[in-house]
């Protein structure tokens, strides 16, 4: 049975990954951790440690005291925040990853690290972007992501650390709010559709990006870590996707349920610039072939579920 530490676990992905891991491996076997302390019952029903991922000592202490053998390293600054705070993004995204990999090397842990479609750049082929291709990102977030992919490959090749990971597209979810990324619009739009019947989008209406619903993102993280290593040609940074759409298209899928919904546009040049430098769609055939990746949700199924879940959530919170 694995004993797992999750860093940055109070964020958008960790809030749902921790309960899923606890269901699978047992609550006591999954340590939640973040630089923040949990509000209310956000830590869930298992152990929580306050850990700054840039501290070797704090990571090591948790790994030793909980006899951790697998780290899901989620702590990071996201794309829009990283553009506002590039120095902090370098320290946390790359410095934190280095510390996690060092502790993993010293104590024999496997490590899951999520990369992103932001690891691509304007010179990357933009349609059906291949698994192995040109990666010259122009944002600080993207630079830390591509360097992180290479560092994970290095730790595997040089030290035998069992590093694995995926390149996530934008993740849509209804539990924890997104942490300041370029694809946050695809979450906000559902909240505002229910609350106001209208939404002012910060990306242009024809901006096409890959996306994924959270249940598929969680499955991808668990499946790649459980994959038979003998079948993995790649290890880190598998392209994974479930759907791709534009703001116009997600608005149309919402109008199938809320016909009066109106989308307007107040374009944020920073986030538009980030989105324009990323692929329109990525090719995830390597993940499908090497470890059986297959998403469950398309845009229609996601919209139906998001609206149902959010209506219940917003009703409960009054
Ligand atoms: N959400 C997405 O759409 C998306 C897409 C692609 C990749 N990713 C990647 O997935 C991972 C998790 O993303 P998320 O959406 O949950 O992010 P998030 O911003 O919602 O959560 C990140 C968490 O990290 C914590 N954190 C920040 N600095 C820290 C530090 N020094 N030490 C420990 N914790 C710290 C924050 O408090 C936060 O709870 C990140 O690596 C991100 O780049 C996310």
């Amino acid at each position: 049975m694995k004993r797992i530490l999750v860093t940055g676990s109070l964020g958008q992905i960790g809030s749902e990954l921790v309960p899923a891991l606890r269901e699978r491996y047992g609550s006591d076997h999954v340590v939640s951790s973040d630089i923040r302390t949990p509000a209310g019952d956000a830590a869930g029903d298992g152990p929580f440690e306050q850990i700054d991922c840039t501290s070797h000592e704090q990571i090591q202490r948790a790994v030793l005291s909980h006899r951790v053998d697998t780290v899901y390293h989620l702590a990071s600054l996201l794309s829009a925040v990283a553009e506002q705070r590039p120095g902090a993004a370098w320290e946390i995204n790359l410095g934190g990853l280095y510390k996690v990999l060092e502790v993993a090397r010293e104590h024999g842990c496997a490590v899951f690290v999520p990369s992103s479609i932001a690891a691509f750049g304007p010179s990357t082929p933009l349609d059906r972007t291949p698994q192995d291709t040109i990666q010259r990102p122009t944002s600080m977030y993207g630079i830390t992501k591509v360097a992180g992919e290479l560092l994970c490959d290095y730790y595997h090749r040089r030290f035998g650390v069992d590093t694995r990971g995926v390149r996530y597209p934008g993740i849509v979810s209804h539990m924890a709010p997104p942490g300041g990324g370029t694809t946050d619009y695809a979450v906000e739009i559902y909240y505002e559709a229910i609350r106001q019947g209208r939404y002012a989008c910060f990306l242009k209406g024809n901006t096409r990006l890959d996306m994924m619903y959270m249940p598929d993102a969680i499955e991808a993280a668990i499946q790649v870590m459980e994959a038979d290593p003998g079948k993995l040609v790649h290890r880190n940074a598998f392209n994974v996707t479930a759907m791709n759409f534009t703001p116009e298209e997600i608005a149309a899928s919402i109008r199938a349920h809320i016909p009066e919904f109106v989308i307007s546009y107040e374009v944020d040049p920073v986030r538009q610039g980030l989105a324009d430098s990323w692929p329109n769609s990525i090719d995830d055939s390597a993940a499908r072939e090497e470890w059986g990746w297959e998403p469950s949700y398309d845009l229609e199924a996601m919209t139906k579920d998001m609206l149902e879940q959010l209506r219940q959530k917003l009703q409960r919170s009054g």
Side-chain angles (χ1 to χ4, degrees):
M1 189 67 106
K2 290 182 196 294
R3 298 188 76 97
I4 297 172
L5 172 67
V6 184
T7 69
S9 69
L10 299 178
Q12 188 192 7
I13 296 178
S15 301
E16 302 199 39
L17 180 63
V18 167
L21 291 171
R22 284 182 173 160
E23 204 177 307
R24 203 163 186 117
Y25 303 110
S27 293
D28 292 348
H29 284 236
V30 180
V31 182
S32 169
S33 79
D34 203 287
I35 197 166
R36 301 183 269 152
T37 49
D41 58 1
D45 59 357
F48 178 86
E49 301 278 356
Q50 191 167 12
I51 296 176
D52 178 346
C53 72
T54 63
S55 163
H56 182 282
E57 190 202 333
Q58 290 178 24
I59 304 163
Q60 177 166 264
R61 197 183 315 132
V63 163
L64 290 177
S65 64
H66 295 277
R67 291 182 288 125
V68 166
D69 57 37
T70 304
V71 181
Y72 278 77
H73 177 49
L74 305 181
S76 174
L77 298 188
L78 297 196
S79 57
V81 181
E83 283 313 289
Q84 284 162 2
R85 302 172 58 205
W90 179 264
E91 291 293 329
I92 294 166
N93 296 11
L94 215 45
L97 174 61
Y98 174 70
K99 296 285 166 56
V100 166
L101 289 170
E102 272 295 282
V103 173
R105 178 181 69 77
E106 290 158 3
H107 301 286
C109 303
V111 187
F112 170 82
V113 181
S115 185
S116 159
I117 52 171
F120 299 118
S123 52
T124 300
L126 289 184
D127 295 300
R128 286 196 60 75
T129 302
Q131 174 66 41
D132 302 306
T133 187
I134 299 164
Q135 290 183 264
R136 298 194 60 78
T138 46
S139 66
M140 179 51 95
Y141 180 66
I143 290 165
T144 64
K145 285 298 176 188
V146 76
E149 292 180 2
L150 295 172
L151 199 59
C152 288
D153 280 344
Y154 178 79
Y155 267 72
H156 173 62
R157 202 173 46 247
R158 178 82 163 76
F159 304 118
V161 177
D162 185 3
T163 54
R164 305 186 191 189
V166 297
R167 287 186 190 122
Y168 279 133
I171 308 293
V172 178
S173 70
H174 54 79
M175 272 181 64
T182 301
T183 53
D184 292 9
Y185 91 85
V187 176
E188 292 169 4
I189 194 169
Y190 289 111
Y191 279 87
E192 295 311 304
I194 293 174
R195 284 184 183 135
Q196 316 280 352
R198 56 178 55 249
Y199 175 64
C201 183
F202 57 73
L203 294 184
K204 291 181 194 159
N206 62 355
T207 310
R208 182 169 298 283
L209 291 169
D210 275 287
M211 300 276 181
M212 186 180 290
Y213 197 29
M214 186 63 89
D216 283 328
I218 300 303
E219 265 309 298
I222 294 174
Q223 272 178 26
V224 75
M225 291 308 282
E226 290 196 340
D228 174 356
K231 295 198 172 132
L232 298 182
V233 180
H234 301 84
R235 296 196 67 90
N236 297 294
F238 279 98
N239 281 1
V240 287
T241 185
M243 60 189 96
N244 72 78
F245 54 76
T246 64
E248 299 281 5
E249 289 167 359
I250 189 175
S253 85
I254 291 172
R255 274 195 292 273
H257 300 266
I258 307 174
E260 63 281 11
F261 174 67
V262 177
I263 187 166
S264 58
Y265 298 94
E266 286 171 18
V267 173
D268 167 12
V270 173
R271 285 180 286 190
Q272 185 66 48
L274 288 163
D276 288 343
S277 74
W278 299 347
N280 300 322
S281 65
I282 59 173
D283 174 359
D284 61 3
S285 50
R288 289 172 188 264
E289 282 158 23
E290 291 175 38
W291 47 276
W293 160 245
E294 198 180 334
S296 300
Y297 286 87
D298 62 11
L299 176 58
E300 281 67 40
M302 178 176 80
T303 294
K304 183 168 177 293
D305 198 59
M306 273 297 282
L307 292 174
E308 277 170 18
Q309 300 288 344
L310 278 182
R311 279 199 177 104
Q312 288 170 21
K313 178 177 173 173
L314 295 173
Q315 249 166 25
R316 279 196 303 273
S317 67

